[in-house]
Amino acid sequence: MRTPLGNLPARQHLPVTAAAPDHAAGAPVLDVVIPVYNEEDDLEPCVRRLHAHLSGTFPYPFRITVADNASTDLTPAVARSLAAELPEVEYFRLEQKGRGRALRTVWTASDAPVLAYMDVDLSTDLNALLPLVAPLISGHSDLAIGSRLARSSRVVRGAKREFISRTYNLILRGSLAARFSDAQCGFKAIRGDVAQRLLPMVEDSGWFFDTEMLVLAERAGLRIHEVPVDWVDDPDSSVDIVRTATDDLRGVWRVGRALATGRLALDRLRRPFGDDPRDRDLPDVPPGLARQLVGFCVVGALSTLVYLALYMLFRLGMGAQPANALALLVSALGNTAANRRLTFGVRGRDRAVRHQAQGLVVFGIGLALTSGSLAAVHAASAHPGHGTELAALIAANLAATILRFLLFRAWVFPDRTPAASEPAVQEPALHEPVIHEPVPDQTPAAPHETAPDLRSAR
């Protein structure tokens, strides 16, 4: 079903006052999450190195959060010791495994306006951290990812992992039309306001979490910034490559099916166009008209080509009028369905039959125009050529297309905005600290799972 566009506020640059010393005790600007499972040996050097780097280079208050995925070794003791010693370090304990589950839980409860995560092995050079989060702080982008596949990246890893990584990204490009270059690099950041809206839509709780988040963000029109990174493979990684690849392929199928059926209302994640009010409120132009015109023209051009091809095919075995009617009927059904989803942003099956019925009425008007043009051509000449028939049909279809857009916009898919009397939902300003209560994990696979007390162990 349709949801209002522009629910996310326009991006804002974080105020420079947030870096002042008197803000040190308040909410951090950046919250870096390190998901761990049985990492008693690597955790302490990782946290100390990251803490020293942020203390020396990052100009804003920060927090390092150790998200423990139900470790069974001494990881909890190491994390609690670090949290007791370093004021900027906190420890969260989750009783179920899953990197995606840990990131969703911690990010959802965090009060920081910029959220990031990195792997405990610190395979990525930390010098890329500030370039990663800078576009989010400035308000330029919504998400940022480190890319090992960019031309300027320097990567040290075996041929097997290189082949798997590139093959996986080719699968994403071919099946989900993904345009980002590296889905699985453990070096990502997201703005807090975007996370609050996007993460409830992400179902996966494991390694596919990153990919699903990026695909949904990209399809919703959010801006993803890519940073080339220097990356050195960890030879002692405990990741099960075969199982992870299998789970990822299942996730690709699930997300592709959800996108194809319109089950996800991604339009509610879109932002206003720019920060200048002149970009958002154009005089004498109804809201969404420009975007709808572009979408309608693209769909109309494609459906016209389909219509002409069908007409020429049907004309081989029947008369001009039956061929025109049948070709127009088939192309009209596809045109209505495509405009419903792509041009006017209507998702799901709600009112789909009614929309098709109304589209058939519009089809009838188009049929009358095109049939009338054919009748006029045959009245003028007893045996007109196919070229003459096509020219008349193109002219009639142009007039029918203009009328179809007006009827679609005003009658079939009218813009149902909330009533003026309804109170508007106030969005918190990005620079204002917002305390989020812990929420249950949104993963459908575990409906009875609840989030732990995220501020328990410090």
Side-chain angles (χ1 to χ4, degrees), residues 147-167:
S147 175
R148 300 164 295 185
L149 303 181
R151 290 182 179 272
S152 57
S153 298
R154 296 185 299 176
V155 177
V156 178
R157 62 177 167 182
K160 179 180 178 181
R161 285 183 175 269
E162 181 76 10
F163 174 78
I164 292 174
S165 179
R166 292 189 178 275
T167 301

Side-chain angles (χ1 to χ4, degrees), residues 44-372:
E44 182 171 358
C46 163
V47 171
R48 291 192 182 279
R49 180 181 165 195
L50 177 60
H51 184 272
H53 179 82
L54 288 172
S55 299
T57 63
F58 194 68
Y60 293 90
F62 66 88
R63 176 193 298 141
I64 300 173
T65 302
V66 179
D68 180 8
N69 290 157
S71 293
T72 57
D73 62 357
L74 296 180
T75 296
V78 175
R80 289 190 178 95
S81 176
L82 290 168
E85 178 184 348
L86 303 174
E88 293 83 7
V89 176
E90 291 193 358
Y91 169 64
F92 290 172
R93 169 77 179 184
L94 293 94
E95 297 303 331
Q96 289 182 287
K97 294 177 60 177
R99 182 180 67 173
R101 177 179 288 110
L103 292 177
R104 181 191 294 111
T105 305
V106 176
W107 278 356
T108 301
S110 179
D111 54 358
V114 177
L115 310 167
Y117 96 88
M118 62 182 60
D119 293 333
V120 69
D121 55 19
L122 294 186
S123 295
T124 305
D125 182 10
L126 291 179
N127 287 326
L129 181 55
L130 187 54
L132 183 80
V133 301
L136 310 186
I137 293 175
S138 69
H140 175 271
S141 300
D142 299 296
L143 297 92
I145 64 174
S147 175
R148 300 164 295 185
L149 303 181
R151 290 182 179 272
S152 57
S153 298
R154 296 185 299 176
V155 177
V156 178
R157 62 177 167 182
K160 179 180 178 181
R161 285 183 175 269
E162 181 76 10
F163 174 78
I164 292 174
S165 179
R166 292 189 178 275
T167 301
Y168 180 63
N169 282 280
L170 286 176
I171 292 174
L172 294 180
R173 289 176 179 270
S175 60
L176 299 179
R179 295 189 298 272
F180 48 84
S181 65
D182 193 350
Q184 290 286 26
C185 181
F187 196 70
K188 294 182 175 69
I190 184 173
R191 285 174 66 99
D193 56 349
V194 175
Q196 297 299 322
R197 303 289 181 84
L198 179 60
L199 297 187
M201 296 185 179
V202 181
E203 295 185 11
D204 191 80
S205 60
W207 292 96
F208 187 70
F209 174 88
D210 303 52
T211 302
E212 185 172 358
M213 178 181 69
L214 291 174
V215 169
L216 298 187
E218 188 174 75
R219 289 297 187 94
L222 299 180
R223 185 174 293 162
I224 301 175
H225 178 75
E226 295 197 18
V227 178
V229 297
D230 298 339
W231 193 85
V232 179
D233 186 21
D234 178 13
D236 299 324
S237 175
S238 59
V239 177
D240 187 337
I241 297 179
V242 175
R243 180 179 178 182
T244 300
T246 303
D247 291 342
D248 286 348
L249 292 177
R250 291 198 189 101
V252 169
W253 167 256
R254 174 177 54 78
V255 172
R257 183 176 56 184
L259 293 173
T261 58
R263 185 167 59 87
L264 297 170
L266 297 178
D267 51 347
R268 73 186 180 95
L269 295 173
R270 293 174 183 166
R271 288 189 181 275
F273 180 73
D275 295 335
D276 191 329
R278 293 172 297 179
D279 292 334
R280 302 195 295 271
D281 300 318
L282 302 179
D284 303 324
V285 177
L289 178 60
R291 178 184 59 82
Q292 291 177 358
L293 277 173
V294 172
F296 184 82
C297 288
V298 172
V299 172
L302 294 176
S303 61
T304 299
L305 293 176
V306 172
Y307 159 76
L308 293 175
L310 291 174
Y311 173 79
M312 296 177 68
L313 178 64
F314 295 151
R315 188 68 174 87
L316 298 176
M318 61 184 68
Q321 292 288 7
N324 170 63
L326 187 56
L328 195 59
L329 174 61
V330 175
S331 61
L333 293 175
N335 181 277
T336 300
N339 277 306
R340 180 178 187 269
R341 178 181 175 188
L342 303 177
T343 303
F344 298 96
V346 181
R347 301 288 192 268
R349 301 178 181 178
D350 185 35
R351 302 166 66 93
V353 176
R354 176 177 178 177
H355 290 155
Q356 281 291 354
Q358 291 173 307
L360 289 177
V361 174
V362 179
F363 151 75
I365 298 174
L367 178 62
L369 288 174
T370 54
S371 297

